[in-house]
Amino acid sequence: MEYSSPTSLLLCPPIDLIQNVEKDAGSDSSSFVFDSTHHRNQASIPRQFVWPASERSGASNELQAPVVDLDGFFRGDRASTELAAELVRSACTDHGFFQVVNHGVSPSLVADALATAEEFFKLPLVHKLRACRKPRSMWGYTGAHSDRFSSKLPWKETLSFANDGMASQSVIPDYLIANLGTEFHRMGKVYERYCKAMEDLSLSIMELLGISLGVDRSHFREFFSDGSSIMRCNNYPQCQEPELTLGTGPHCDPTSITILLQQGDVDGLEVFTGGGWRLVRPMSGALVVNIGDTFMALSNGRYKSCLHRAVVNRIRERRSLAFFLCPREDRVVRPPGCLVEQGEARKYPDFTWAELFDFTQTQYRADTRTLQTFAQWLLSSNTPSSRRLCSG
């Protein structure tokens, strides 16, 4: 079986190439640089951003997304917890997507996190590239993922941070100061606090997911208590031909769950359900939660990894903040015995997050079939996971 392999483009463009980016936006891909300030004002988009017609955005109806109120759950109210668990169960067996309100994350922290992202993405490209992401790293800046791919590029730029569960609390401020300067200390502190809030919330959601699946409520919380995470700031610039491209292509997140903060007044997120794409409008005070491939494996396929994408806008830019919860790198992903009924086959082989992450970085571009393709690859290769039995 062949796997789509990422094509290396330009890991950290030289300064002279950045300064000459306006010469020929459609030149050879080996010298392509995405400068959001430049490209958003062009009448036509570079060919690297044009997606196949079958994958482009069309008219989408709005999804009436389930909204889970966490207030009663946090207070220990049994009736409220049962209602929340039922809403989660229904959503996750259908499309793997829901929203949470009364989640306990400070509105002022949310505002600060969005504001500091805006400040960063408005910097000139030459300054943003001081934090250029290195190969196979989850740290740093990238424009349109052109460091990994040469076609079907997403119309976006990102800044990412990672936490392996063992890092010191000052790791984000230290990274930003080292790469961008001391004036970014405040930004680092904001994301340090935001990531801590997301970590706490994600563990609570894991507890609620356990309840909804009929598993001991502490099972998944404990499984992820020493886990890792990825924090990604997304910026989707204005695009003069939004009908030809996508901000993020159709995919399922390979991680466990994603907690997404949408900018409050710009549409962009779409979820595939009921045979078509549905728009998820930003909801004041709400955070979007979706199931990823790793948790689908942990639930033995009972909960669906959410298929989603992001579209772009001709008039407005859009920002979002995505927090991805992952297990510890060496922890074996295996569903609890109670989710594998007697005589029921395991849907996926045992694997570690390190194996899945490496697969998505070196073997396969995340899409609609990442987990299935990964499982086939494991079973056909001489990896430790391929030698593990797929029994309950």
Side-chain angles (χ1 to χ4, degrees):
M1 178 179 294
E2 294 183 356
Y3 302 94
S4 55
S5 178
T7 302
S8 178
L9 257 168
L10 196 61
L11 299 178
C12 278
I15 297 300
D16 59 344
L17 180 58
I18 298 167
Q19 293 171 339
N20 293 327
V21 69
E22 296 187 7
K23 278 189 175 181
D24 186 3
S27 63
D28 183 80
S29 64
S30 64
S31 62
F32 180 76
V33 178
F34 181 55
D35 183 345
S36 60
T37 302
H38 165 75
H39 284 107
R40 68 185 176 191
N41 295 318
Q42 300 305 296
S44 60
I45 63 175
R47 58 182 172 76
Q48 293 93 337
F49 288 92
V50 177
W51 285 65
S54 61
E55 298 181 53
R56 295 176 198 165
S57 176
S60 300
N61 296 322
E62 183 176 352
L63 174 66
Q64 298 303 313
V67 179
V68 180
D69 189 334
L70 296 180
D71 178 63
F73 169 69
F74 286 141
R75 290 188 288 103
D77 181 79
R78 170 177 267 182
S80 297
T81 298
E82 289 177 353
L83 175 60
E86 178 54 39
L87 287 171
V88 166
R89 184 183 307 111
S90 176
C92 292
T93 53
D94 185 7
H95 45 61
F97 162 86
F98 57 95
Q99 301 201 63
V100 293
V101 295
N102 292 320
H103 43 67
V105 181
S106 163
S108 63
L109 178 56
V110 166
D112 280 350
L114 284 171
T116 52
E118 180 178 6
E119 292 170 8
F120 174 81
F121 287 120
K122 285 186 174 180
L123 291 172
L125 178 62
V126 67
H127 294 304
K128 288 183 283 193
L129 285 173
R130 291 174 182 169
C132 181
R133 189 175 69 185
K134 301 300 188 293
R136 298 179 68 177
S137 169
M138 281 293 102
W139 284 86
Y141 170 81
T142 178
H145 294 325
S146 63
D147 56 333
R148 294 187 59 208
F149 308 117
S150 59
S151 64
K152 296 199 302 184
L153 296 185
W155 190 266
K156 70 175 179 180
E157 51 186 341
T158 68
L159 176 67
S160 303
F161 313 109
N163 180 7
D164 63 3
M166 304 295 290
S168 67
Q169 287 191 339
S170 63
V171 63
I172 297 177
D174 289 348
Y175 173 83
L176 291 175
I177 291 170
N179 288 275
L180 297 173
T182 56
E183 63 270 31
F184 287 85
H185 177 262
R186 180 183 176 277
M187 179 182 181
K189 297 302 288 185
V190 168
Y191 283 110
E192 178 182 277
R193 291 188 289 117
Y194 187 81
C195 288
K196 180 61 169 65
M198 290 296 105
E199 289 167 8
D200 292 344
L201 176 59
S202 64
L203 292 179
S204 294
I205 292 172
M206 279 298 164
E207 190 174 344
L208 186 58
L209 286 169
I211 295 170
S212 71
L213 281 165
V215 176
D216 185 283
R217 65 184 296 158
S218 66
H219 179 85
F220 293 123
R221 185 183 186 104
E222 292 177 355
F223 185 89
F224 288 96
S225 62
D226 58 353
S228 59
S229 63
I230 302 165
M231 173 71 211
R232 178 164 297 153
C233 308
N234 300 305
N235 186 56
Y236 301 90
Q238 299 101 310
C239 179
Q240 296 305 310
E241 295 181 303
E243 69 280 359
L244 298 181
T245 190
L246 289 168
T248 302
H251 70 288
C252 298
D253 294 334
T255 50
S256 299
I257 63 168
T258 304
I259 304 178
L260 181 74
L261 168 63
Q262 295 198 82
Q263 188 176 350
D265 57 353
V266 186
D267 296 337
L269 174 64
E270 295 185 348
V271 172
F272 191 85
T273 183
W277 289 100
R278 302 288 184 265
L279 176 67
V280 181
R281 295 193 185 280
M283 177 179 172
S284 179
L287 293 169
V288 174
V289 179
N290 69 259
I291 299 298
D293 289 341
T294 299
F295 195 84
M296 182 161 71
L298 280 171
S299 71
N300 201 35
R302 297 191 183 200
Y303 282 3
K304 291 184 179 179
S305 186
C306 177
L307 177 58
H308 58 288
R309 68 183 183 184
V311 300
V312 291
N313 192 293
R314 179 176 281 105
I315 301 172
R316 304 284 303 279
E317 67 181 350
R318 171 178 174 260
R319 274 174 289 278
S320 66
L321 306 179
F323 178 88
F324 304 95
L325 181 68
C326 318
R328 195 179 69 202
E329 285 193 350
D330 61 349
R331 190 175 293 283
V332 176
V333 175
R334 176 188 302 132
C338 62
L339 296 184
V340 184
E341 297 177 359
Q342 187 172 6
E344 180 183 6
R346 281 277 304 280
K347 300 291 195 304
Y348 311 101
D350 292 350
F351 62 89
T352 65
W353 166 241
E355 289 171 324
L356 178 54
F357 174 76
D358 186 70
F359 180 76
T360 62
Q361 297 299 299
T362 64
Q363 299 286 334
Y364 194 82
R365 181 174 181 170
D367 61 10
T368 61
R369 290 185 49 81
T370 304
L371 183 59
Q372 291 85 346
T373 308
F374 171 65
Q376 293 168 12
W377 175 79
L378 277 181
L379 294 172
S380 63
S381 62
N382 189 32
T383 64
S385 286
S386 70
R387 298 190 292 272
R388 297 185 193 119
L389 295 176
C390 294
S391 61

